[in-house]
Amino acid sequence: MAITFKRKQGRSVDDFQAYRRDVHAPLLFAIPEAKLIRRFVISYPIAAPNWPEPSYDALVETWFDSVEDIDALFFSENFLTKVDPDHINFIDLSTAQRIVSKELVVVE
């Protein structure tokens, strides 16, 4: 699963990244369903003068063994009551884009 989103208006880039790392990630990884996550990567844009500015502030990539595991995490009561409500504190929810996908490795 890949998710892109912009930070909440009024949050600096540094504050957004620190909140995501120091507050939100611990909430996620404290719930037992987080054990279903096989790999978790957050990418933040960097200055790249020859490239256009991205339309988002973060790309979150999360690996699972199955779609059922994705559902077990994101639709669990723990996620819905402990993790999901925190998103409004640092994300502009209207910008969130998600894709559930199967990876095809072309070059490794």
Side-chain angles (χ1 to χ4, degrees), residues 4-9 16 57 87-97:
T4 61
F5 49 83
K6 290 192 77 61
R7 66 187 183 274
K8 186 174 183 175
Q9 190 171 13
F16 167 71
D57 292 309
H87 287 130
I88 198 163
N89 293 320
F90 68 105
I91 294 173
D92 176 349
L93 296 176
S94 71
T95 66
Q97 298 286 315

Side-chain angles (χ1 to χ4, degrees), residues 77-91:
E77 184 167 341
N78 280 325
F79 184 84
L80 294 172
T81 61
K82 297 176 182 175
V83 180
D84 196 38
D86 186 53
H87 287 130
I88 198 163
N89 293 320
F90 68 105
I91 294 173

